[in-house]
Amino acid sequence: MKIAIGALLYEGNSFSLGESGIDQFENNYFYQGDEIIEKLSGGDVELSGALAVLKEAACEIQPLFATHGGCGGSIREEAFQTLKSNLLAGLAGEKVDGVYLALHGAMLCKNIAHPEVEILQEVRKRVGPNVPVVISLDLHAHITPELLALCTAVVGYQHYPHDDTFETGVRGMRLLIHAMQPTSTVRVEMKKLAMLISPTAASTHSPTTMRDLYKRCRALEALPGILAVSYFPLTPWAEYPDGGTAFVLVADEKAPPTRPLLDDLCRHLWDIRDRFIPRLFTLEEALNDSLSHPGNPIILSEMSDAVGAGSTGDSVSVLKAYIQQGRTETLLVQVVDPQVVEQATQYGIGSNNEYQIGHKVEVRNGGPALLRAEVVGFHSGEFTYTGGIMAGITSSVGRSVVLKAGHITLFVTSKPAYEYGAEQYSAAGLELHNYRYVVVKNPMNYRKTLAWAKQLYALDSPGSARADLTKLEWMRAARPFYPIDDSETPLYR
């Protein structure tokens, strides 16, 4: 059997002012053809898991293209067309028996309604309607009937924070090999609620409501013929007219009736919808509450500016609010501002000058922070992910500078990059335990990776990825949908 494999992942944020080009994909991993086998075998991403299965199955591999652009506002159209062409090039004139693609599901590109659907339509043109095509998706994907109609089977990440990318590749490839058997009758079904969930309240790792949903889906997979059950609470920051939370079930001829199973999952989730309202703190509330938690560090999550949720990473809203509070405890905060990095580079180590920091791209929530600071160090920006969707991948935040303004330390970077744990700080020699307060910019990962900290606070701060979904400026989502609207009976798409 000859199996084509590829990956093209990107998570969009329609509330963000950021745009992404090819360079953002090249900043992570960007492999064509045989490079995929050479570079990703033995790794931790989806294609690493798929390759491990293919090695055991002794299949012939047709490597296409593999890249991950992380997150941002939207991909520039010319960049998307180049990426799509790279992926499809390996299918030109090739006859394959199956296709496995690792996609995200919530990619955004101006003037293209659903980029993943367009990719799959082009794949189908090349391989025909009968070749099995299996895709794996991020848990926060946008699921539609059009997407499923182009696939033989779909599987999603089971965990949030995402630490099961390798396992997802294994599951996806095993499903594909199952679907390629001559007697296979694999089918895929979905049902979708008009309900969006704030990711900060949706961890599957601790005893939470989402963990209960995880267990229910794993229990269904123990039934005969139920090959995979996935939940897809769409990232709420990628706004679609028909956005919501979908359940996708993959089954074969041995399965019991599947529609009641999907109905039960939807009704259960709707009945517990209020449990997904996140507990958020204003900065003042967090600082006051932290007085009863001695020791370092106290983690302040400015998730509204999370690059990993598509924001620009240049917010200084929390920094300015901290200064206004008049607190004198040490604070560490990261900001994307290439102009400041350039200025500091010209001034040099030991210089002390005034800087206008942050809010250069995201300009809707106030102006820059004006600070006099000393240049105490530079860093290349390179770091390696220790877990998550790009575990083991080396990336970069670009040339960076460490500035010190009294009790405040700023790590100012040239480029935004998805934040998993403390890798970016640590690579620059900034150890979190040396600071009383540390600002991180991710909506959920910190709860796992920084669980050792003295206390964790999710802040209700302004930005394009704010956790309180009722405070976003919705423009396209068809009403009614939860949590903007409510109903005793489930609202469906």
Side-chain angles (χ1 to χ4, degrees), residues 433-448:
H433 62 264
N434 292 328
Y435 303 90
R436 172 60 173 165
Y437 296 105
V438 175
V439 175
V440 299
K441 296 186 177 183
N442 72 64
M444 177 53 71
N445 297 341
Y446 74 98
R447 293 191 181 277
K448 178 186 176 186

Side-chain angles (χ1 to χ4, degrees), residues 13 45 50 87 99 136 201 243 252 312 319 343 348 366 416 431 440 445 456 466 484:
N13 181 324
V45 298
L87 184 69
V99 179
S136 62
D252 63 19
T312 52
L319 171 63
Q343 289 173 329
E431 298 303 332
V440 299
N445 297 341
L456 310 172
R466 66 186 313 158
I484 306 304

Side-chain angles (χ1 to χ4, degrees), residues 110-184:
K110 291 179 181 176
N111 305 317
I112 298 174
H114 196 173
E116 283 90 353
V117 168
E118 182 167 314
I119 289 168
L120 290 167
Q121 287 171 338
E122 293 298 325
V123 169
R124 278 293 176 205
K125 286 180 184 178
R126 287 156 177 78
V127 303
N130 298 321
V131 170
V133 175
V134 172
I135 64 171
S136 62
L137 298 172
D138 189 292
L139 178 152
H140 296 116
H142 177 45
I143 306 299
T144 65
E146 293 77 15
L147 180 79
L148 265 59
L150 295 161
C151 303
T152 309
V154 175
V155 291
Y157 300 158
Q158 295 178 349
H159 297 172
Y160 186 54
H162 310 316
D163 59 5
D164 61 333
T165 49
F166 179 94
E167 292 81 3
T168 301
V170 169
R171 293 165 57 228
M173 185 52 68
R174 286 179 176 165
L175 261 179
L176 176 61
I177 291 175
H178 181 83
M180 290 167 62
Q181 305 310 309
T183 58
S184 175

Side-chain angles (χ1 to χ4, degrees), residues 67 70 99 126 138-139 162 185 265 268 295 332 383 407 420 465:
T67 190
V99 179
R126 287 156 177 78
D138 189 292
L139 178 152
H162 310 316
T185 58
L265 286 171
H268 171 72
L332 174 64
F383 67 97
H407 56 287
Y420 178 67

Side-chain angles (χ1 to χ4, degrees), residues 237-284:
W237 306 301
E239 187 182 9
Y240 295 88
D242 53 347
T245 297
F247 291 95
V248 175
L249 190 149
V250 182
D252 63 19
E253 73 283 354
K254 300 175 184 176
T258 52
R259 181 55 53 176
L261 303 179
L262 290 168
D263 291 343
D264 287 346
L265 286 171
C266 285
R267 279 195 296 267
H268 171 72
L269 179 57
W270 188 261
D271 288 344
I272 59 173
R273 62 195 180 281
D274 60 334
R275 299 183 195 175
F276 289 96
I277 303 300
R279 172 70 171 102
L280 303 174
F281 295 79
T282 66
L283 178 63
E284 183 177 9

Side-chain angles (χ1 to χ4, degrees), residues 155-383:
V155 291
Y157 300 158
Q158 295 178 349
H159 297 172
Y160 186 54
H162 310 316
D163 59 5
D164 61 333
T165 49
F166 179 94
E167 292 81 3
T168 301
V170 169
R171 293 165 57 228
M173 185 52 68
R174 286 179 176 165
L175 261 179
L176 176 61
I177 291 175
H178 181 83
M180 290 167 62
Q181 305 310 309
T183 58
S184 175
T185 58
V186 171
R187 67 185 191 278
V188 61
E189 297 183 57
M190 68 172 285
K191 191 159 188 177
K192 187 174 185 179
L193 289 165
M195 172 182 176
L196 295 175
I197 293 173
S198 183
T200 193
S203 170
T204 62
H205 286 279
S206 52
T208 60
T209 303
M210 200 68 191
R211 180 69 178 177
D212 173 62
L213 202 61
Y214 164 89
K215 291 179 179 178
R216 284 174 177 264
C217 290
R218 303 293 75 76
L220 290 179
E221 290 174 340
L223 296 175
I226 303 297
L227 306 179
V229 182
S230 300
Y231 31 74
F232 293 101
L234 166 68
T235 171
W237 306 301
E239 187 182 9
Y240 295 88
D242 53 347
T245 297
F247 291 95
V248 175
L249 190 149
V250 182
D252 63 19
E253 73 283 354
K254 300 175 184 176
T258 52
R259 181 55 53 176
L261 303 179
L262 290 168
D263 291 343
D264 287 346
L265 286 171
C266 285
R267 279 195 296 267
H268 171 72
L269 179 57
W270 188 261
D271 288 344
I272 59 173
R273 62 195 180 281
D274 60 334
R275 299 183 195 175
F276 289 96
I277 303 300
R279 172 70 171 102
L280 303 174
F281 295 79
T282 66
L283 178 63
E284 183 177 9
E285 289 170 341
L287 294 176
N288 290 338
D289 188 77
S290 69
L291 295 174
S292 60
H293 301 283
N296 298 347
I298 300 293
I299 302 298
L300 306 172
S301 177
E302 189 181 7
M303 56 189 63
S304 56
D305 191 41
V307 173
S311 293
T312 52
D314 72 335
S315 172
V316 286
S317 294
V318 170
L319 171 63
K320 292 198 296 184
Y322 187 84
I323 294 170
Q324 291 170 0
Q325 289 284 323
R327 303 294 287 259
T328 58
E329 298 96 331
T330 54
L331 172 75
L332 174 64
V333 60
Q334 182 173 344
V335 184
V336 178
D337 194 328
Q339 293 179 26
V340 167
V341 174
E342 179 62 29
Q343 289 173 329
T345 301
Q346 294 177 4
Y347 295 142
I349 293 285
S351 60
N352 196 300
N353 294 275
E354 280 196 344
Y355 296 92
Q356 292 190 29
I357 302 171
H359 281 169
K360 304 286 174 59
V361 180
E362 177 51 84
V363 295
R364 295 169 295 188
N365 299 309
L370 181 62
L371 283 176
R372 174 169 287 276
E374 178 186 358
V375 177
V376 297
F378 291 101
H379 177 56
S380 69
E382 189 172 282
F383 67 97

